[in-house]
């Protein structure tokens, strides 16, 4: 085992400051969890929901943490493949595993009676989630979607009373949960090592596979006005980019594109299900509705990050920004993408407003969050990310740069939204319906106003473009 | 060249640019008249790429001013005139070759974009890659596409940074023919003297962010001894000022 190799691979991907802060946060999470000793029933929902999310995340966005310099230099060195695979696995563990422990550590307090089993379950699940990225990074998108759906459904199956789920630790089936997670780890970890030991060959295969690089339906822009072309590209097509601009979240970069109307069909179906589940028909207990809406709000804010990362990372300054005043181009694409997001989420927002009409006040908050806060937040996050840690995507399946502490700061604009959402939900639970509504409306107005102010601040826009150029954007 | 009464195509006046404590450009001043073809020469780190980025309005100078055809580089008028090919140009990676060309053509307001794209696909031998995603193209084909994107709107002022990089010899000749056929003012940043001699007739030499010499290629050759290669003359001049 080469420790020098391990150290080199880790430090080439993570800054020391980021590693330090991740460690501090993890210890803090564990400390808070044990000190508070809360055994709130919220973890029955929180645990499986976040576990499902972390099953989906590495499959859909993670890939493997490989730099361009690895392909050009590291993989050509005469190193033992087992040492290389181990080092890459540890990097994946840092990339996904630590953030998983951080997020789920709070739920340990509810598992005190089965602490040993809980630890075995978590260690196994961390290994599983770490392994999913390397196993799935070279699979085709439909297969990855299917796999993510199956694993997420397996995690969420505890809500239907299924005991053989890795998340069943939260429903009182600790032994079955451990059996499930250990079995899953026994399958996934060897597969991940196998995949990582030949990652260089896989990457070469991916890059030389010409046939899959053909576009089936070439989009036509001929005959369009400049504004129509911007709308066609930035409003009617939705791009989901797959690197969390935050701590962890995997290393490689992927992006997926789909037409807006197809996305709206999917969100409309989800909205119908959501309306059915939360409306009078299922008569869910009010408490579970509140928790579920809270979790949905948090998920939605996380979703913003996905939409936001690639906006500037995929842009080309020498092309789009040269066709009109750079500020105007920046404004045009951000407005188009923000509106596109609002339209995509609008069926869920409408369903929320309908639920509010039927007496679910909390749904009104969620609707405003979807329709105003999230699309505005997207613009704010673009600005902050651009100033703090801009990265341009120049290579597919590669880390665009080292993961560092600044990326965590890019998450800060999400924080007030998160806190205000939590506050409004808390106030609502305490029975202050009007106050909760005022808080949510104020949140929406403030975040919306900040987004508009950013868009129309010329000197800030020009400084942003200067920053991108100085950061090496082409 | 005949004396023109039009404003200079390109005018930089006393441009300074700092990156933190590093001064990249120090009072850079030069002009290009309409139709003039000029090479921007200089050692690594001289400020050539920064100069081009300021000229095309992607970077703001700390002091001084730039005019393109008499307009500020960020104005709509100047942007209509300009074409720009950066060093290591990378088009939109998730688009196909044709999508890139049609998208930029539409943004540029080019008439009959589809026909124009067809002509460029044929002249740059990109037809067989029309539907290929840029991320899967060879570096040479990416450079051909980048060249097509820089000239798709028939610019009257063209800024090129190492335009023949990555191109094979037949394609280099094709590109040289295309560029010579354009009625555009040309500023070519390059390290390769052959590129400068094939595409331009005048030289602006910069070092440490300032102009150190300007003149025609003939004048540059005359600075050397008889039979001395022009590369050696340039190398001596740049070594003297470093």
């Amino acid at each position: 085992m080469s420790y020098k190799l391990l150290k080199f691979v880790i430090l080439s991907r993570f800054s020391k400051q980021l590693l330090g802060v991740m460690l501090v946060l993890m210890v803090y999470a564990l400390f808070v969890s044990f000190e508070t000793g809360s055994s709130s029933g919220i973890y029955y929902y929180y645990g499986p929901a976040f576990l499902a999310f972390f099953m989906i995340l590495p499959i859909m966005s993670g890939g493997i943490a490989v730099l361009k310099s690895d392909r050009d230099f590291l993989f050509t060195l005469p190193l033992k493949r087992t040492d290389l695979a181990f080092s890459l696995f540890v990097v994946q563990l840092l990339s996904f595993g630590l953030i998983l422990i951080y997020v789920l550590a709070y739920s340990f307090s509810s598992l005190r009676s089965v602490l040993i089993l809980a630890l075995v379950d978590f260690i196994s699940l961390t290994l599983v989630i770490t392994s999913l990225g390397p196993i799935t990074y070279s699979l085709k998108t439909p297969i990855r979607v299917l796999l993510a759906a199956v694993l997420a459904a397996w995690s969420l199956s505890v809500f239907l009373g299924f005991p053989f789920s890795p998340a069943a630790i939260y429903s009182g089936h600790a032994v079955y949960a451990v059996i499930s997670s250990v079995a899953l780890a026994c399958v996934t970890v060897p597969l991940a090592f196998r995949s990582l030991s030949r990652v260089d060959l896989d990457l070469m295969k991916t890059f030389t596979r010409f046939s899959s690089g053909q576009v089936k339906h070439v989009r036509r822009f001929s005959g369009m006005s400049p504004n129509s072309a911007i709308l066609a590209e930035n409003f009617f097509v939705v791009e989901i980019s797959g690197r969390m601009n935050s701590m962890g979240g995997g290393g490689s970069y992927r992006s997926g594109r789909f037409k807006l109307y197809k996305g709206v069909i999917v969100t409309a179906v989800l909205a119908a299900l959501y309306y059915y589940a939360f409306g009078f028909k299922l008569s869910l207990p009010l408490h579970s509705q509140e928790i579920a809406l809270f979790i949905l709000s948090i998920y939605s804010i996380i979703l913003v990050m996905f939409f936001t990362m690639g906006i500037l990372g995929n842009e080309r300054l020498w092309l789009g920004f040269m066709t009109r005043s750079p500020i105007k181009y920046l404004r045009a694409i951000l407005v188009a993408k923000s509106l596109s997001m609002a339209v995509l989420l609008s069926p869920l927002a409408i369903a929320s407003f309908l639920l509010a009409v039927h007496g679910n006040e909390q749904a009104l908050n969620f609707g405003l969050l979807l329709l105003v806060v999230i699309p505005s937040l997207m613009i704010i996050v673009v600005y902050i990310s651009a100033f703090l840690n801009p990265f341009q995507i120049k290579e597919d399946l590669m880390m665009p740069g080292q993961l560092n502490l600044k990326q965590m700061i890019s998450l800060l604009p999400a924080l007030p939204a998160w806190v205000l959402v939590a506050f409004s939900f808390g106030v609502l639970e305490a029975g202050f319906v009007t106050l909760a509504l005022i808080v949510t409306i104020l949140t929406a107005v403030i975040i919306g106003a900040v987004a508009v102010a950013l868009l129309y601040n010329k000197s800030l826009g020009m400084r942003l473009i200067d920053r991108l150029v100085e950061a090496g954007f082409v | 060249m005949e004396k023109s009464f039009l404003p200079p195509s390109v005018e930089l006046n006393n441009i300074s640019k700092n990156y933190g404590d590093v001064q990249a450009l120090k009072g850079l001043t030069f002009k290009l008249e309409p139709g003039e073809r000029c090479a921007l020469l200089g050692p690594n780190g001289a400020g050539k790429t920064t100069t081009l980025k300021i000229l095309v309005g992607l970077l703001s100078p700390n002091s001084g001013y730039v005019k393109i055809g008499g307009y500020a580089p960020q104005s709509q008028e100047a942007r209509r005139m300009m074409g720009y090919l950066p060093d290591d140009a990378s088009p939109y990676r998730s688009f196909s070759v044709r999508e890139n060309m049609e998208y930029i053509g539409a943004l540029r307001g080019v008439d009959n974009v589809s026909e124009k794209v067809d002509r460029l696909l044929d002249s740059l031998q990109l037809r067989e890659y029309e539907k290929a995603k840029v991320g899967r193209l060879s570096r040479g084909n990416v450079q051909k596409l980048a060249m097509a994107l820089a000239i798709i709107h028939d610019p009257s002022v063209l800024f090129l940074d190492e335009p023949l990089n990555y191109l094979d010899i037949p394609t280099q000749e094709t590109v040289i023919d295309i560029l010579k056929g354009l009625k555009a003012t040309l500023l070519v940043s390059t390290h390769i003297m052959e590129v400068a001699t094939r595409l331009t007739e005048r030289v602006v030499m910069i070092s440490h962010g300032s102009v150190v010499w300007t003149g025609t290629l003939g004048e540059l050759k005359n600075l050397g001894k008889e039979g001395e290669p022009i590369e050696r003359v340039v190398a001596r001049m740049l070594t003297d000022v470093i």
Side-chain angles (χ1 to χ4, degrees):
Chain A
M1 174 70 242
S2 167
Y3 291 102
K4 274 187 182 171
L5 174 66
L6 180 61
K7 189 179 165 192
F8 169 79
V9 172
I10 291 173
L11 292 180
S12 59
R13 287 148 178 79
F14 300 93
S15 72
K16 285 180 185 169
Q17 293 89 341
L18 177 65
L19 289 173
V21 168
M22 281 166 78
L23 193 66
V24 169
L25 285 175
M26 204 177 72
V27 171
Y28 169 77
L30 286 167
F31 177 76
V32 168
S33 168
F34 283 104
E35 277 302 301
T36 56
S38 158
S39 55
S40 159
I42 193 170
Y43 293 118
Y44 171 70
Y45 301 97
Y46 175 93
F50 267 98
L51 198 56
F53 178 71
F54 277 105
M55 292 284 189
I56 296 169
L57 188 67
I59 298 176
M60 296 312 297
S61 74
I64 47 172
V66 173
L67 295 159
K68 185 175 181 295
S69 53
D70 293 338
R71 192 188 61 185
D72 298 342
F73 303 108
L74 185 68
F75 295 156
T76 59
L77 292 174
L79 297 167
K80 269 193 198 169
R81 291 288 127 182
T82 46
D83 287 356
L84 191 60
F86 181 75
S87 302
L88 292 172
F89 189 83
V90 172
V91 164
Q92 288 296 124
L93 185 72
L94 289 169
S95 188
F96 274 111
L98 289 185
I99 194 169
L100 170 84
I101 293 169
Y102 170 66
V103 170
L104 287 181
Y106 293 107
S107 63
F108 272 32
S109 58
S110 66
L111 304 170
R112 279 182 170 185
S113 57
V114 285
L115 194 61
I116 302 295
L117 288 175
L119 281 173
V120 175
D121 192 41
F122 275 104
I123 291 168
S124 306
L125 286 172
T126 306
L127 291 172
V128 168
I129 287 165
T130 302
S131 303
L132 287 174
I135 294 172
T136 57
Y137 81 99
S138 58
L139 296 178
K140 287 185 175 170
T141 306
I143 299 172
R144 281 189 289 123
V145 170
L146 187 67
L147 195 61
V150 168
L151 287 175
W154 193 15
S155 298
L156 297 173
S157 65
V158 291
F159 296 140
L160 301 172
F162 186 62
F164 285 97
S165 161
I169 195 110
Y170 294 102
S171 60
H173 300 99
V175 176
Y176 293 148
V178 169
I179 291 170
S180 306
S181 57
V182 170
L184 198 54
C186 288
V187 174
T188 53
V189 173
L191 284 175
F193 266 82
R194 186 165 158 260
S195 178
L196 288 169
S197 64
R198 62 177 194 202
V199 64
D200 47 342
L201 296 173
D202 273 7
L203 280 175
M204 288 311 293
K205 199 169 68 186
T206 309
F207 282 109
T208 52
R209 195 170 50 205
F210 182 78
S211 57
S212 61
Q214 296 277 329
V215 173
K216 280 182 194 156
H217 305 287
V218 176
R219 286 181 301 133
R220 307 307 297 258
F221 298 95
S222 186
M224 286 186 189
S225 69
N227 285 333
S228 308
I230 286 177
L231 281 179
E233 169 52 22
N234 297 286
F235 179 79
F236 290 109
V237 173
V238 181
E239 185 161 51
I240 302 176
S241 302
R243 180 185 174 187
M244 287 288 277
N245 192 18
S246 60
M247 58 181 176
S252 79
Y253 171 83
R254 282 178 189 279
S255 73
R257 300 156 68 81
F258 56 86
K259 289 186 175 157
L260 177 62
Y261 80 87
K262 288 184 181 172
V264 170
I265 292 171
V266 172
T267 51
V269 171
L270 290 174
L273 291 172
Y274 157 64
Y275 182 76
Y276 182 79
F278 284 77
F280 49 92
K281 292 187 178 167
L282 276 189
S283 305
L284 289 173
L286 185 64
H287 187 63
S288 65
Q289 286 196 25
E290 285 167 359
I291 291 168
L293 273 175
F294 180 72
I295 290 172
L296 278 175
S297 304
I298 301 298
Y299 267 33
S300 309
I301 294 170
I302 293 172
L303 192 71
V304 175
M305 303 303 163
F306 276 96
F307 276 85
T308 306
M309 290 171 297
I311 290 179
L312 292 180
N314 280 325
E315 258 307 326
R316 295 296 180 254
L317 300 183
W318 71 282
L319 291 173
F321 284 71
M322 284 289 296
T323 57
R324 56 175 70 188
S325 152
I327 313 283
K328 284 185 181 168
Y329 183 76
L330 178 70
R331 195 182 297 152
I333 60 169
L334 290 183
V335 168
K337 283 183 188 288
S338 176
L339 290 175
S340 178
M341 169 73 93
V343 170
L344 184 68
L345 297 176
S346 62
L348 287 161
I350 291 166
S352 298
F353 296 141
L354 287 174
L355 284 171
V357 171
H358 288 297
N360 186 337
E361 293 92 354
Q362 206 157 26
L364 184 61
N365 291 14
F366 187 50
L368 281 170
L369 179 85
L370 290 170
L371 209 56
V372 184
V373 176
I374 287 179
S376 307
L377 206 56
M378 223 174 105
I379 293 169
I380 300 171
V381 173
V382 165
Y383 270 73
I384 291 189
S385 307
F387 279 111
L388 282 179
N389 196 44
F391 62 86
Q392 190 176 36
I393 306 304
K394 292 175 182 168
E395 289 275 346
D396 300 331
L397 297 174
M398 297 284 170
M399 284 178 77
Q402 195 189 38
L403 292 163
N404 59 40
L405 196 54
K406 283 182 184 172
Q407 286 168 303
M408 289 177 73
I409 302 169
S410 305
L411 281 173
L412 285 180
L415 206 59
W418 213 316
V419 170
L420 283 166
V421 166
F423 179 75
S424 70
F425 276 51
V427 167
L428 195 64
E429 201 169 5
F432 300 108
V433 177
T434 315
L435 182 61
L437 186 60
I438 291 170
V439 169
T440 312
I441 290 173
L442 271 178
T443 308
V445 169
I446 292 169
I447 291 180
V450 170
V452 172
L454 286 175
L455 284 175
Y456 284 89
N457 187 325
K458 265 188 175 179
S459 71
L460 188 71
M462 204 52 227
R463 267 190 288 159
L464 182 145
I465 291 158
D466 273 5
R467 174 82 182 101
L468 298 182
V469 175
E470 287 171 18
F473 273 55
V474 179
Chain B
M1 183 168 293
E2 277 181 39
K3 183 77 183 167
S4 166
F5 295 102
L6 294 170
S9 279
V10 177
E11 184 181 7
L12 284 108
N13 195 305
N14 209 18
I15 294 294
S16 293
K17 177 68 190 173
N18 299 333
Y19 295 116
D21 295 333
V22 178
Q23 194 167 20
L25 299 180
K26 288 181 250 179
L28 191 73
T29 301
F30 67 85
K31 275 183 200 177
L32 298 186
E33 296 301 331
E36 199 170 5
R37 288 159 181 260
C38 181
L40 186 63
L41 302 181
N44 295 329
K48 300 187 296 293
T49 299
T50 298
T51 304
L52 290 189
K53 284 176 178 171
I54 288 175
L55 280 168
V56 300
L58 287 178
L59 206 53
S60 312
N62 293 105
S63 61
Y65 70 83
V66 174
K67 297 276 181 195
I68 305 295
Y71 298 98
Q74 275 137 11
S75 68
Q76 195 57 31
E77 291 83 358
R79 300 193 97 69
R80 273 196 207 107
M81 287 180 211
M82 286 189 285
Y84 173 46
L85 175 73
D87 186 24
D88 248 345
S90 169
Y92 292 101
R93 293 184 70 79
S94 56
F95 281 23
S96 69
V97 169
R98 178 175 271 278
E99 284 170 341
N100 260 289
M101 291 166 84
E102 286 205 4
Y103 181 56
I104 295 303
L107 287 184
R108 289 279 192 189
V110 173
D111 293 331
N112 302 320
V113 173
S114 197
E115 286 170 28
K116 181 84 189 189
V117 168
D118 284 331
R119 276 205 301 277
L120 283 167
L121 284 172
D122 290 331
S123 60
L124 287 162
Q125 294 106 42
L126 282 169
R127 176 65 74 182
E128 64 179 299
Y129 306 107
E130 177 178 11
K131 291 183 179 178
K133 272 191 188 173
V134 170
R136 295 297 172 87
L137 291 180
S138 71
R139 200 62 195 82
N141 283 324
V142 169
Q143 184 72 1
K144 286 191 225 174
L145 171 61
M147 177 59 74
L149 294 169
I151 61 173
I152 195 163
H153 57 299
D154 294 322
S156 57
V157 182
L158 189 53
F159 299 104
L160 306 169
D161 202 344
E162 298 293 0
L164 303 187
N165 269 0
Y166 309 108
L167 298 178
D168 57 34
I169 292 169
T171 313
Q172 285 185 20
E173 292 306 313
T174 306
V175 169
I176 287 170
D177 288 343
I178 290 172
L179 292 175
K180 282 187 166 175
L182 294 174
K183 290 173 186 162
T185 306
L186 206 62
L187 183 65
V188 183
S189 168
T190 183
H191 287 292
I192 304 165
M193 276 314 296
E194 201 196 334
V195 175
T197 54
R198 295 285 302 274
L199 288 174
T200 66
E201 60 261 1
R202 200 186 136 208
V203 168
V204 171
M205 208 178 287
I206 65 171
S207 181
H208 297 297
S210 305
V211 175
V212 292
W213 189 85
T214 180
T216 64
L217 276 168
E219 287 166 343
L220 185 62
K221 275 181 197 161
N222 290 339
L223 292 175
K225 295 167 196 151
E226 198 176 327
E228 189 179 23
I230 195 165
E231 286 84 356
R232 197 172 285 273
V233 178
V234 173
R236 198 174 58 241
M237 290 173 73
L238 290 175
T239 310
D240 288 347
V241 294
I242 286 172

